[in-house]
Amino acid sequence: MREISDSDRTPASGLQAPAGAGSRAEADGPDGFHRRLHHVVPELLDPETAQTAGMRRLAAVSGKTVGSRKLWMGQTHVAPATRSADHHHGESETAIYVVSGRPVFVFLEGEGADAKEVRVETKPGDYIFVPPYLPHREENPDPEHEAVVVIARSTQEAIVVNLPDLRSRTTAETDPDD
């Protein structure tokens, strides 16, 4: 078994492509099946990703960081006593794992004048699923500690559409299944 050393690491992905790997196919392996595992250490998380006011997102697994094609994964930090802007993630399905803090996820349930704000209070170890195009926001009511969550999305890059409120969705942003 070959151990990975620091000389194998690159800033972009955590690991170098095999020697002589110039094209994507070569980096994936000559048969397109045998690929290289990528190890992304915390120091290599990428802050250059879509952001929402009140939050700080860091990409770990993305097209830019490791060459992923169908998945985005990273961390989100919500500062103490903060509420994010209202937003949705387009066509992306989003899974969230609560690492620390007690973040609250807020969305509307129902339609029109009957819509009611729903607040889902979480704790470390909880999971949340956010369907595509669902306007929502994250809040961290703790006045002293940030909340940290790990996010996985079904699209290769982070999609963030910031909104003026939870009722807002323009025609271009509307779920095609609606």
Side-chain angles (χ1 to χ4, degrees), residues 38-107:
H38 293 269
H39 176 205
V40 181
V41 296
E43 302 80 47
L44 296 178
L45 295 178
D46 183 5
E48 299 298 318
T49 188
Q51 301 292 334
T52 298
M55 302 169 71
R56 182 172 53 102
R57 291 188 183 94
L58 303 166
V61 175
S62 69
K64 179 180 174 185
T65 61
V66 300
S68 66
R69 298 175 192 162
K70 299 178 183 179
L71 177 71
W72 185 95
M73 189 172 190
Q75 288 181 3
T76 298
H77 297 248
V78 184
T82 299
R83 131 187 191 160
S84 76
D86 297 331
H87 61 282
H88 69 71
H89 301 289
E91 67 190 69
S92 212
E93 291 184 323
T94 302
I96 301 169
Y97 175 74
V98 180
V99 175
S100 65
R102 298 185 68 87
V104 177
F105 297 84
V106 183
F107 67 100

Short mmCIF file of all heavy atoms in Angstrom, two decimals, residues 38-107:
data_model
loop_
_atom_site.label_atom_id
_atom_site.label_comp_id
_atom_site.label_asym_id
_atom_site.label_seq_id
_atom_site.Cartn_x
_atom_site.Cartn_y
_atom_site.Cartn_z
N HIS A 38 -9.09 11.86 -3.75
CA HIS A 38 -8.65 13.20 -3.34
C HIS A 38 -8.88 13.37 -1.85
O HIS A 38 -9.97 13.08 -1.36
CB HIS A 38 -9.42 14.28 -4.10
CG HIS A 38 -9.13 14.30 -5.55
ND1 HIS A 38 -8.14 15.06 -6.11
CD2 HIS A 38 -9.68 13.61 -6.57
CE1 HIS A 38 -8.10 14.87 -7.41
NE2 HIS A 38 -9.03 13.99 -7.71
N HIS A 39 -7.89 13.86 -1.16
CA HIS A 39 -7.96 14.14 0.27
C HIS A 39 -7.87 15.65 0.44
O HIS A 39 -6.85 16.25 0.12
CB HIS A 39 -6.79 13.44 0.97
CG HIS A 39 -6.71 13.74 2.43
ND1 HIS A 39 -5.52 13.65 3.12
CD2 HIS A 39 -7.62 14.11 3.34
CE1 HIS A 39 -5.72 13.95 4.37
NE2 HIS A 39 -6.99 14.24 4.53
N VAL A 40 -8.95 16.27 0.91
CA VAL A 40 -8.96 17.72 1.10
C VAL A 40 -8.86 18.01 2.59
O VAL A 40 -9.76 17.66 3.36
CB VAL A 40 -10.25 18.34 0.51
CG1 VAL A 40 -10.24 19.86 0.70
CG2 VAL A 40 -10.41 17.98 -0.96
N VAL A 41 -7.77 18.62 3.00
CA VAL A 41 -7.55 18.96 4.39
C VAL A 41 -8.17 20.34 4.68
O VAL A 41 -8.36 21.14 3.76
CB VAL A 41 -6.05 18.93 4.75
CG1 VAL A 41 -5.50 17.50 4.61
CG2 VAL A 41 -5.26 19.89 3.89
N PRO A 42 -8.50 20.63 5.93
CA PRO A 42 -9.19 21.90 6.25
C PRO A 42 -8.49 23.15 5.72
O PRO A 42 -9.16 24.10 5.30
CB PRO A 42 -9.23 21.90 7.78
CG PRO A 42 -9.20 20.46 8.16
CD PRO A 42 -8.33 19.79 7.12
N GLU A 43 -7.18 23.15 5.71
CA GLU A 43 -6.44 24.33 5.23
C GLU A 43 -6.68 24.60 3.75
O GLU A 43 -6.39 25.68 3.26
CB GLU A 43 -4.93 24.17 5.46
CG GLU A 43 -4.52 23.93 6.90
CD GLU A 43 -4.72 22.49 7.35
OE1 GLU A 43 -4.33 21.54 6.64
OE2 GLU A 43 -5.29 22.31 8.44
N LEU A 44 -7.17 23.60 3.02
CA LEU A 44 -7.37 23.76 1.58
C LEU A 44 -8.82 24.05 1.20
O LEU A 44 -9.15 24.10 0.02
CB LEU A 44 -6.89 22.50 0.84
CG LEU A 44 -5.39 22.23 0.96
CD1 LEU A 44 -5.03 20.93 0.24
CD2 LEU A 44 -4.58 23.39 0.42
N LEU A 45 -9.71 24.25 2.18
CA LEU A 45 -11.08 24.61 1.85
C LEU A 45 -11.09 25.94 1.11
O LEU A 45 -10.34 26.86 1.45
CB LEU A 45 -11.94 24.70 3.12
CG LEU A 45 -12.12 23.39 3.87
CD1 LEU A 45 -12.93 23.62 5.14
CD2 LEU A 45 -12.76 22.33 3.01
N ASP A 46 -11.91 26.05 0.08
CA ASP A 46 -11.90 27.19 -0.84
C ASP A 46 -13.03 28.17 -0.52
O ASP A 46 -14.21 27.83 -0.68
CB ASP A 46 -12.06 26.65 -2.27
CG ASP A 46 -11.99 27.73 -3.32
OD1 ASP A 46 -11.72 28.91 -2.98
OD2 ASP A 46 -12.22 27.40 -4.50
N PRO A 47 -12.70 29.41 -0.12
CA PRO A 47 -13.74 30.40 0.18
C PRO A 47 -14.33 31.05 -1.08
O PRO A 47 -15.31 31.78 -0.99
CB PRO A 47 -13.00 31.44 1.03
CG PRO A 47 -11.59 31.37 0.54
CD PRO A 47 -11.36 29.92 0.18
N GLU A 48 -13.75 30.76 -2.23
CA GLU A 48 -14.21 31.35 -3.49
C GLU A 48 -15.40 30.56 -4.04
O GLU A 48 -15.30 29.89 -5.07
CB GLU A 48 -13.07 31.40 -4.51
CG GLU A 48 -11.90 32.25 -4.07
CD GLU A 48 -12.27 33.71 -3.85
OE1 GLU A 48 -13.03 34.25 -4.67
OE2 GLU A 48 -11.81 34.28 -2.85
N THR A 49 -16.53 30.64 -3.34
CA THR A 49 -17.75 29.95 -3.75
C THR A 49 -18.92 30.89 -3.51
O THR A 49 -18.76 31.94 -2.88
CB THR A 49 -17.91 28.61 -3.00
OG1 THR A 49 -18.99 27.88 -3.53
CG2 THR A 49 -18.10 28.82 -1.50
N ALA A 50 -20.09 30.55 -4.00
CA ALA A 50 -21.27 31.41 -3.85
C ALA A 50 -21.54 31.66 -2.38
O ALA A 50 -21.46 30.76 -1.56
CB ALA A 50 -22.47 30.74 -4.52
N GLN A 51 -21.87 32.92 -2.04
CA GLN A 51 -22.07 33.31 -0.65
C GLN A 51 -23.45 33.93 -0.46
O GLN A 51 -24.07 34.42 -1.40
CB GLN A 51 -21.00 34.32 -0.22
CG GLN A 51 -19.58 33.81 -0.33
CD GLN A 51 -19.25 32.71 0.66
OE1 GLN A 51 -19.83 32.59 1.73
NE2 GLN A 51 -18.29 31.86 0.29
N THR A 52 -23.90 33.91 0.78
CA THR A 52 -25.14 34.55 1.20
C THR A 52 -24.79 35.39 2.43
O THR A 52 -24.04 34.93 3.29
CB THR A 52 -26.21 33.50 1.57
OG1 THR A 52 -26.51 32.72 0.42
CG2 THR A 52 -27.48 34.14 2.10
N ALA A 53 -25.35 36.60 2.50
CA ALA A 53 -25.08 37.46 3.65
C ALA A 53 -25.39 36.71 4.94
O ALA A 53 -26.39 36.01 5.04
CB ALA A 53 -25.93 38.73 3.55
N GLY A 54 -24.51 36.85 5.93
CA GLY A 54 -24.70 36.21 7.22
C GLY A 54 -24.08 34.83 7.33
O GLY A 54 -24.16 34.20 8.37
N MET A 55 -23.48 34.36 6.24
CA MET A 55 -22.88 33.01 6.23
C MET A 55 -21.52 33.07 5.55
O MET A 55 -21.26 33.96 4.76
CB MET A 55 -23.78 32.05 5.45
CG MET A 55 -25.18 31.96 5.99
SD MET A 55 -26.28 31.07 4.88
CE MET A 55 -25.70 29.43 5.05
N ARG A 56 -20.70 32.06 5.83
CA ARG A 56 -19.42 31.91 5.13
C ARG A 56 -19.34 30.48 4.65
O ARG A 56 -19.29 29.55 5.45
CB ARG A 56 -18.25 32.25 6.07
CG ARG A 56 -16.89 32.16 5.41
CD ARG A 56 -15.81 32.68 6.33
NE ARG A 56 -15.85 32.05 7.63
CZ ARG A 56 -15.01 31.08 8.02
NH1 ARG A 56 -14.08 30.64 7.21
NH2 ARG A 56 -15.11 30.56 9.23
N ARG A 57 -19.35 30.28 3.32
CA ARG A 57 -19.28 28.94 2.74
C ARG A 57 -17.86 28.65 2.29
O ARG A 57 -17.18 29.52 1.74
CB ARG A 57 -20.22 28.81 1.55
CG ARG A 57 -21.68 28.85 1.92
CD ARG A 57 -22.56 28.52 0.72
NE ARG A 57 -23.95 28.62 1.07
CZ ARG A 57 -24.70 29.70 0.88
NH1 ARG A 57 -24.18 30.77 0.33
NH2 ARG A 57 -25.96 29.71 1.23
N LEU A 58 -17.43 27.41 2.49
CA LEU A 58 -16.10 26.96 2.08
C LEU A 58 -16.26 25.66 1.30
O LEU A 58 -16.81 24.68 1.82
CB LEU A 58 -15.22 26.71 3.31
CG LEU A 58 -15.04 27.90 4.25
CD1 LEU A 58 -14.44 27.45 5.57
CD2 LEU A 58 -14.17 28.95 3.59
N ALA A 59 -15.79 25.64 0.07
CA ALA A 59 -15.91 24.44 -0.77
C ALA A 59 -14.80 23.45 -0.43
O ALA A 59 -13.64 23.82 -0.32
CB ALA A 59 -15.84 24.82 -2.24
N ALA A 60 -15.18 22.19 -0.29
CA ALA A 60 -14.22 21.11 -0.10
C ALA A 60 -14.15 20.27 -1.36
O ALA A 60 -13.09 20.05 -1.93
CB ALA A 60 -14.60 20.25 1.10
N VAL A 61 -15.31 19.81 -1.82
CA VAL A 61 -15.41 18.98 -3.01
C VAL A 61 -16.20 19.75 -4.06
O VAL A 61 -17.38 20.06 -3.85
CB VAL A 61 -16.10 17.63 -2.69
CG1 VAL A 61 -16.31 16.81 -3.95
CG2 VAL A 61 -15.30 16.85 -1.66
N SER A 62 -15.54 20.08 -5.17
CA SER A 62 -16.19 20.81 -6.26
C SER A 62 -15.40 20.55 -7.54
O SER A 62 -14.35 19.92 -7.51
CB SER A 62 -16.22 22.31 -5.96
OG SER A 62 -14.91 22.86 -6.02
N GLY A 63 -15.91 21.05 -8.63
CA GLY A 63 -15.16 20.94 -9.88
C GLY A 63 -13.81 21.61 -9.77
O GLY A 63 -12.80 21.09 -10.24
N LYS A 64 -13.78 22.76 -9.11
CA LYS A 64 -12.53 23.52 -8.98
C LYS A 64 -11.54 22.83 -8.04
O LYS A 64 -10.34 22.79 -8.33
CB LYS A 64 -12.85 24.92 -8.45
CG LYS A 64 -11.64 25.80 -8.25
CD LYS A 64 -12.06 27.16 -7.73
CE LYS A 64 -10.86 28.00 -7.38
NZ LYS A 64 -11.26 29.27 -6.77
N THR A 65 -12.02 22.28 -6.93
CA THR A 65 -11.08 21.74 -5.94
C THR A 65 -10.59 20.34 -6.27
O THR A 65 -9.42 20.03 -6.05
CB THR A 65 -11.69 21.74 -4.52
OG1 THR A 65 -12.86 20.92 -4.52
CG2 THR A 65 -12.02 23.15 -4.06
N VAL A 66 -11.47 19.46 -6.77
CA VAL A 66 -11.07 18.07 -7.01
C VAL A 66 -11.52 17.53 -8.37
O VAL A 66 -11.29 16.37 -8.68
CB VAL A 66 -11.57 17.11 -5.91
CG1 VAL A 66 -11.01 17.51 -4.55
CG2 VAL A 66 -13.08 17.03 -5.88
N GLY A 67 -12.21 18.37 -9.15
CA GLY A 67 -12.67 17.91 -10.45
C GLY A 67 -13.98 17.14 -10.40
O GLY A 67 -14.31 16.42 -11.34
N SER A 68 -14.75 17.28 -9.33
CA SER A 68 -16.03 16.56 -9.26
C SER A 68 -16.96 17.05 -10.37
O SER A 68 -16.85 18.18 -10.82
CB SER A 68 -16.69 16.73 -7.89
OG SER A 68 -17.07 18.08 -7.69
N ARG A 69 -17.83 16.19 -10.82
CA ARG A 69 -18.71 16.50 -11.94
C ARG A 69 -20.18 16.63 -11.55
O ARG A 69 -20.95 17.28 -12.24
CB ARG A 69 -18.58 15.42 -13.01
CG ARG A 69 -17.18 15.33 -13.57
CD ARG A 69 -17.05 14.19 -14.52
NE ARG A 69 -15.64 13.95 -14.83
CZ ARG A 69 -15.18 12.86 -15.35
NH1 ARG A 69 -16.00 11.87 -15.64
NH2 ARG A 69 -13.91 12.72 -15.59
N LYS A 70 -20.59 15.96 -10.48
CA LYS A 70 -22.01 15.94 -10.13
C LYS A 70 -22.27 16.24 -8.66
O LYS A 70 -23.39 16.05 -8.20
CB LYS A 70 -22.60 14.56 -10.44
CG LYS A 70 -22.52 14.19 -11.90
CD LYS A 70 -23.08 12.81 -12.13
CE LYS A 70 -22.92 12.42 -13.59
NZ LYS A 70 -23.42 11.07 -13.84
N LEU A 71 -21.27 16.70 -7.92
CA LEU A 71 -21.43 16.87 -6.48
C LEU A 71 -20.66 18.08 -6.01
O LEU A 71 -19.56 18.36 -6.50
CB LEU A 71 -20.89 15.61 -5.78
CG LEU A 71 -20.88 15.60 -4.27
CD1 LEU A 71 -22.31 15.48 -3.74
CD2 LEU A 71 -20.05 14.43 -3.76
N TRP A 72 -21.24 18.80 -5.07
CA TRP A 72 -20.55 19.88 -4.36
C TRP A 72 -20.69 19.57 -2.88
O TRP A 72 -21.77 19.18 -2.41
CB TRP A 72 -21.19 21.23 -4.66
CG TRP A 72 -20.45 22.39 -4.05
CD1 TRP A 72 -19.51 23.16 -4.66
CD2 TRP A 72 -20.59 22.92 -2.72
NE1 TRP A 72 -19.04 24.12 -3.80
CE2 TRP A 72 -19.70 23.99 -2.59
CE3 TRP A 72 -21.37 22.57 -1.62
CZ2 TRP A 72 -19.57 24.72 -1.43
CZ3 TRP A 72 -21.24 23.30 -0.45
CH2 TRP A 72 -20.35 24.37 -0.37
N MET A 73 -19.61 19.76 -2.12
CA MET A 73 -19.66 19.53 -0.69
C MET A 73 -18.75 20.54 0.00
O MET A 73 -17.68 20.87 -0.52
CB MET A 73 -19.22 18.11 -0.36
CG MET A 73 -19.43 17.72 1.06
SD MET A 73 -19.07 15.94 1.23
CE MET A 73 -19.67 15.69 2.87
N GLY A 74 -19.19 21.02 1.14
CA GLY A 74 -18.37 21.98 1.86
C GLY A 74 -18.94 22.28 3.22
O GLY A 74 -19.85 21.61 3.71
N GLN A 75 -18.37 23.31 3.84
CA GLN A 75 -18.80 23.75 5.16
C GLN A 75 -19.48 25.10 5.04
O GLN A 75 -19.12 25.92 4.19
CB GLN A 75 -17.59 23.97 6.09
CG GLN A 75 -16.91 22.76 6.55
CD GLN A 75 -15.75 23.12 7.49
OE1 GLN A 75 -15.51 24.28 7.82
NE2 GLN A 75 -15.03 22.10 7.90
N THR A 76 -20.41 25.35 5.96
CA THR A 76 -20.98 26.68 6.11
C THR A 76 -20.87 27.07 7.58
O THR A 76 -21.17 26.27 8.47
CB THR A 76 -22.45 26.72 5.66
OG1 THR A 76 -22.52 26.40 4.28
CG2 THR A 76 -23.05 28.10 5.86
N HIS A 77 -20.42 28.29 7.80
CA HIS A 77 -20.28 28.84 9.15
C HIS A 77 -21.28 29.99 9.28
O HIS A 77 -21.28 30.90 8.45
CB HIS A 77 -18.86 29.37 9.37
CG HIS A 77 -17.83 28.29 9.30
ND1 HIS A 77 -17.12 27.88 10.39
CD2 HIS A 77 -17.40 27.52 8.27
CE1 HIS A 77 -16.29 26.91 10.05
NE2 HIS A 77 -16.44 26.68 8.75
N VAL A 78 -22.12 29.92 10.31
CA VAL A 78 -23.08 30.99 10.58
C VAL A 78 -22.64 31.64 11.90
O VAL A 78 -22.59 30.98 12.94
CB VAL A 78 -24.53 30.46 10.69
CG1 VAL A 78 -25.50 31.61 10.87
CG2 VAL A 78 -24.89 29.65 9.44
N ALA A 79 -22.30 32.92 11.82
CA ALA A 79 -21.78 33.64 12.98
C ALA A 79 -22.81 33.71 14.11
O ALA A 79 -24.01 33.54 13.87
CB ALA A 79 -21.37 35.05 12.55
N PRO A 80 -22.34 33.94 15.34
CA PRO A 80 -23.27 34.07 16.46
C PRO A 80 -24.30 35.18 16.21
O PRO A 80 -23.99 36.20 15.59
CB PRO A 80 -22.37 34.46 17.64
CG PRO A 80 -21.02 33.95 17.27
CD PRO A 80 -20.95 34.09 15.77
N ALA A 81 -25.51 34.96 16.70
CA ALA A 81 -26.59 35.94 16.63
C ALA A 81 -26.79 36.47 15.20
O ALA A 81 -26.91 37.66 14.98
CB ALA A 81 -26.34 37.08 17.61
N THR A 82 -26.78 35.55 14.23
CA THR A 82 -26.86 35.93 12.82
C THR A 82 -27.98 35.19 12.13
O THR A 82 -28.30 34.06 12.47
CB THR A 82 -25.53 35.60 12.11
OG1 THR A 82 -24.49 36.33 12.72
CG2 THR A 82 -25.57 35.96 10.64
N ARG A 83 -28.53 35.84 11.15
CA ARG A 83 -29.53 35.21 10.29
C ARG A 83 -29.06 35.44 8.86
O ARG A 83 -28.67 36.55 8.50
CB ARG A 83 -30.88 35.82 10.62
CG ARG A 83 -31.67 36.28 9.52
CD ARG A 83 -32.91 37.03 10.01
NE ARG A 83 -33.74 37.19 8.84
CZ ARG A 83 -35.01 37.43 8.87
NH1 ARG A 83 -35.63 37.57 10.00
NH2 ARG A 83 -35.68 37.55 7.76
N SER A 84 -29.09 34.40 8.05
CA SER A 84 -28.66 34.54 6.65
C SER A 84 -29.73 35.29 5.87
O SER A 84 -30.87 35.44 6.31
CB SER A 84 -28.44 33.17 6.02
OG SER A 84 -29.68 32.55 5.71
N ALA A 85 -29.36 35.71 4.69
CA ALA A 85 -30.35 36.24 3.76
C ALA A 85 -31.23 35.08 3.29
O ALA A 85 -30.81 33.92 3.32
CB ALA A 85 -29.65 36.89 2.57
N ASP A 86 -32.44 35.39 2.87
CA ASP A 86 -33.31 34.36 2.28
C ASP A 86 -32.71 33.98 0.93
O ASP A 86 -32.21 34.83 0.19
CB ASP A 86 -34.72 34.91 2.11
CG ASP A 86 -35.37 35.26 3.45
OD1 ASP A 86 -35.03 34.63 4.46
OD2 ASP A 86 -36.22 36.17 3.47
N HIS A 87 -32.76 32.68 0.60
CA HIS A 87 -32.14 32.20 -0.62
C HIS A 87 -32.69 30.82 -0.99
O HIS A 87 -33.39 30.21 -0.20
CB HIS A 87 -30.62 32.14 -0.48
CG HIS A 87 -30.15 31.20 0.60
ND1 HIS A 87 -30.17 31.53 1.95
CD2 HIS A 87 -29.67 29.93 0.55
CE1 HIS A 87 -29.70 30.52 2.66
NE2 HIS A 87 -29.39 29.52 1.83
N HIS A 88 -32.37 30.35 -2.20
CA HIS A 88 -32.61 28.95 -2.56
C HIS A 88 -31.41 28.48 -3.38
O HIS A 88 -30.51 29.26 -3.70
CB HIS A 88 -33.95 28.74 -3.27
CG HIS A 88 -34.07 29.30 -4.65
ND1 HIS A 88 -33.41 28.79 -5.74
CD2 HIS A 88 -34.82 30.32 -5.13
CE1 HIS A 88 -33.74 29.47 -6.82
NE2 HIS A 88 -34.59 30.41 -6.48
N HIS A 89 -31.39 27.18 -3.70
CA HIS A 89 -30.24 26.59 -4.37
C HIS A 89 -30.59 26.03 -5.74
O HIS A 89 -30.03 25.02 -6.17
CB HIS A 89 -29.62 25.51 -3.47
CG HIS A 89 -29.17 26.06 -2.16
ND1 HIS A 89 -28.08 26.90 -2.02
CD2 HIS A 89 -29.69 25.95 -0.91
CE1 HIS A 89 -27.95 27.26 -0.77
NE2 HIS A 89 -28.92 26.70 -0.07
N GLY A 90 -31.53 26.70 -6.44
CA GLY A 90 -31.87 26.30 -7.79
C GLY A 90 -32.25 24.84 -7.88
O GLY A 90 -32.95 24.31 -7.02
N GLU A 91 -31.75 24.18 -8.91
CA GLU A 91 -32.09 22.77 -9.16
C GLU A 91 -31.43 21.80 -8.20
O GLU A 91 -31.69 20.60 -8.22
CB GLU A 91 -31.69 22.41 -10.59
CG GLU A 91 -30.18 22.43 -10.79
CD GLU A 91 -29.74 22.30 -12.23
OE1 GLU A 91 -29.97 23.25 -12.99
OE2 GLU A 91 -29.17 21.25 -12.57
N SER A 92 -30.59 22.30 -7.34
CA SER A 92 -29.80 21.45 -6.44
C SER A 92 -30.62 20.91 -5.28
O SER A 92 -31.33 21.64 -4.61
CB SER A 92 -28.66 22.30 -5.88
OG SER A 92 -27.53 21.55 -5.65
N GLU A 93 -30.48 19.60 -5.04
CA GLU A 93 -30.93 19.02 -3.77
C GLU A 93 -29.79 19.26 -2.78
O GLU A 93 -28.62 19.11 -3.14
CB GLU A 93 -31.18 17.53 -3.90
CG GLU A 93 -32.37 17.19 -4.76
CD GLU A 93 -32.65 15.70 -4.78
OE1 GLU A 93 -31.69 14.90 -4.79
OE2 GLU A 93 -33.83 15.34 -4.81
N THR A 94 -30.14 19.63 -1.55
CA THR A 94 -29.13 19.95 -0.57
C THR A 94 -29.34 19.13 0.70
O THR A 94 -30.44 19.11 1.24
CB THR A 94 -29.16 21.46 -0.22
OG1 THR A 94 -28.97 22.22 -1.42
CG2 THR A 94 -28.09 21.83 0.79
N ALA A 95 -28.28 18.46 1.15
CA ALA A 95 -28.30 17.74 2.42
C ALA A 95 -27.37 18.46 3.36
O ALA A 95 -26.27 18.88 2.97
CB ALA A 95 -27.85 16.29 2.22
N ILE A 96 -27.80 18.60 4.61
CA ILE A 96 -27.04 19.36 5.61
C ILE A 96 -26.86 18.50 6.86
O ILE A 96 -27.81 17.89 7.34
CB ILE A 96 -27.78 20.66 5.98
CG1 ILE A 96 -27.98 21.52 4.72
CG2 ILE A 96 -27.02 21.43 7.07
CD1 ILE A 96 -28.92 22.69 4.91
N TYR A 97 -25.64 18.47 7.36
CA TYR A 97 -25.32 17.78 8.61
C TYR A 97 -24.84 18.83 9.61
O TYR A 97 -23.92 19.61 9.31
CB TYR A 97 -24.23 16.73 8.39
CG TYR A 97 -23.77 16.08 9.67
CD1 TYR A 97 -24.57 15.14 10.32
CD2 TYR A 97 -22.55 16.41 10.25
CE1 TYR A 97 -24.16 14.55 11.51
CE2 TYR A 97 -22.13 15.83 11.43
CZ TYR A 97 -22.95 14.90 12.06
OH TYR A 97 -22.55 14.32 13.23
N VAL A 98 -25.45 18.89 10.78
CA VAL A 98 -25.08 19.88 11.80
C VAL A 98 -23.89 19.36 12.59
O VAL A 98 -23.97 18.33 13.26
CB VAL A 98 -26.27 20.18 12.73
CG1 VAL A 98 -25.86 21.21 13.79
CG2 VAL A 98 -27.47 20.68 11.94
N VAL A 99 -22.77 20.08 12.49
CA VAL A 99 -21.53 19.72 13.18
C VAL A 99 -21.51 20.34 14.58
O VAL A 99 -21.23 19.66 15.56
CB VAL A 99 -20.29 20.18 12.38
CG1 VAL A 99 -19.01 19.93 13.16
CG2 VAL A 99 -20.25 19.51 11.03
N SER A 100 -21.80 21.64 14.65
CA SER A 100 -21.76 22.31 15.95
C SER A 100 -22.78 23.44 15.97
O SER A 100 -23.22 23.93 14.93
CB SER A 100 -20.36 22.86 16.25
OG SER A 100 -20.00 23.86 15.32
N GLY A 101 -23.15 23.85 17.17
CA GLY A 101 -24.14 24.90 17.33
C GLY A 101 -25.56 24.34 17.25
O GLY A 101 -25.76 23.12 17.20
N ARG A 102 -26.52 25.25 17.23
CA ARG A 102 -27.93 24.87 17.16
C ARG A 102 -28.62 25.73 16.10
O ARG A 102 -29.51 26.53 16.43
CB ARG A 102 -28.58 25.02 18.53
CG ARG A 102 -27.92 24.09 19.58
CD ARG A 102 -28.59 24.13 20.92
NE ARG A 102 -29.92 23.57 20.90
CZ ARG A 102 -30.21 22.27 21.06
NH1 ARG A 102 -29.24 21.41 21.24
NH2 ARG A 102 -31.45 21.86 21.05
N PRO A 103 -28.22 25.58 14.83
CA PRO A 103 -28.82 26.41 13.79
C PRO A 103 -30.31 26.13 13.62
O PRO A 103 -30.78 25.02 13.90
CB PRO A 103 -28.03 26.04 12.53
CG PRO A 103 -27.47 24.69 12.81
CD PRO A 103 -27.25 24.63 14.29
N VAL A 104 -31.02 27.14 13.16
CA VAL A 104 -32.45 27.05 12.89
C VAL A 104 -32.63 27.26 11.39
O VAL A 104 -32.07 28.18 10.81
CB VAL A 104 -33.22 28.13 13.68
CG1 VAL A 104 -34.70 28.10 13.35
CG2 VAL A 104 -32.99 27.96 15.18
N PHE A 105 -33.42 26.38 10.77
CA PHE A 105 -33.71 26.46 9.34
C PHE A 105 -35.16 26.93 9.19
O PHE A 105 -36.06 26.36 9.81
CB PHE A 105 -33.47 25.11 8.67
CG PHE A 105 -32.03 24.69 8.75
CD1 PHE A 105 -31.56 24.04 9.88
CD2 PHE A 105 -31.15 25.00 7.74
CE1 PHE A 105 -30.22 23.68 9.98
CE2 PHE A 105 -29.81 24.64 7.84
CZ PHE A 105 -29.35 23.99 8.95
N VAL A 106 -35.37 27.98 8.38
CA VAL A 106 -36.67 28.62 8.29
C VAL A 106 -37.15 28.58 6.84
O VAL A 106 -36.39 28.89 5.91
CB VAL A 106 -36.59 30.09 8.76
CG1 VAL A 106 -37.96 30.76 8.73
CG2 VAL A 106 -35.97 30.17 10.16
N PHE A 107 -38.41 28.17 6.65
CA PHE A 107 -39.02 28.15 5.32
C PHE A 107 -40.51 28.39 5.47
O PHE A 107 -41.03 28.43 6.59
CB PHE A 107 -38.74 26.82 4.60
CG PHE A 107 -39.41 25.63 5.25
CD1 PHE A 107 -40.59 25.12 4.72
CD2 PHE A 107 -38.87 25.02 6.37
CE1 PHE A 107 -41.22 24.03 5.32
CE2 PHE A 107 -39.48 23.93 6.96
CZ PHE A 107 -40.66 23.43 6.44
#
